[in-house]
Amino acid sequence: MPKISAGILLHRLGVAGRELLLVHPGGPFWTGKDLAAWSIPKGLIEPGEDYEAAARREFAEEVGAMPTGDLVPLGEFSLSGGKRLVAFALEGDFDPRTLVSNSFEMEWPPHSGRRQTFPEVDRAEWFGLDAARTRLHLPQQPLADALRVAIDR
């Protein structure tokens, strides 16, 4: 059975139009990467957990703020390695300067025997729809189109 993640695409109407909140993964692998490196706040669903509850929990863990409001289903998307993403849209606001992410530990540098702690998300930023599409991981790029369809209903 494939691993399933749930996430929230937070969006707002900004000066230049619709903007999406994206997060940049922390850790040494992602340092200096920008295009096709960003994501929506998301994470694995716990066994028996409701998708919406998982999406809210993961958003809070990755950005440090519990999202409130009605979630709009965007659908299910294929990610790399056979993983699946159940995504929701939420109109709202968030100040990226207040980002507080959970962390993870890994051996770094590789084969050094030393373990270091890194933030799961090292920054968040608002992007217009076109800029967001170029920054999202390739399998997540359809989220921008799904949002357009959802808000045009």
Side-chain angles (χ1 to χ4, degrees):
M1 182 160 170
K3 292 185 177 182
I4 301 174
S5 291
I8 295 175
L9 177 55
L10 191 67
H11 63 98
R12 69 182 184 188
L13 192 56
V15 177
R18 187 65 47 193
E19 297 176 333
L20 312 181
L21 181 75
L22 303 182
V23 295
H24 187 270
F29 177 78
W30 296 103
T31 301
K33 292 186 169 120
D34 186 48
L35 298 179
W38 295 69
S39 177
I40 67 169
K42 64 171 182 44
L44 291 176
I45 296 170
E46 301 293 334
E49 188 176 21
D50 175 76
Y51 290 175
E52 285 192 23
R56 289 180 194 278
R57 174 182 52 78
E58 286 294 333
F59 188 96
E61 287 178 4
E62 292 196 357
V63 303
M66 181 57 78
T68 59
D70 294 332
L71 299 181
V72 176
L74 292 178
E76 190 170 317
F77 301 84
S78 296
L79 301 178
S80 58
K83 294 179 185 175
R84 307 290 296 165
L85 169 63
V86 177
F88 299 93
L90 177 64
E91 189 163 9
D93 203 2
F94 174 77
D95 182 349
R97 295 173 299 183
T98 66
L99 176 79
V100 177
S101 178
N102 57 354
S103 59
F104 68 96
E105 187 179 278
M106 64 181 278
E107 182 181 17
W108 189 258
H111 312 293
S112 68
R114 293 188 1 218
R115 301 205 56 83
Q116 292 191 43
T117 301
F118 301 95
E120 191 168 334
V121 168
D122 62 15
R123 64 190 184 272
E125 192 173 325
W126 288 99
F127 294 98
L129 278 169
D130 292 334
R133 183 177 281 105
T134 66
R135 299 242 175 12
L136 279 165
H137 290 296
L138 296 176
Q140 291 184 44
Q141 289 178 356
L143 288 168
D145 295 326
L147 177 66
R148 277 190 176 136
V149 170
I151 60 178
D152 286 343
R153 287 183 196 157

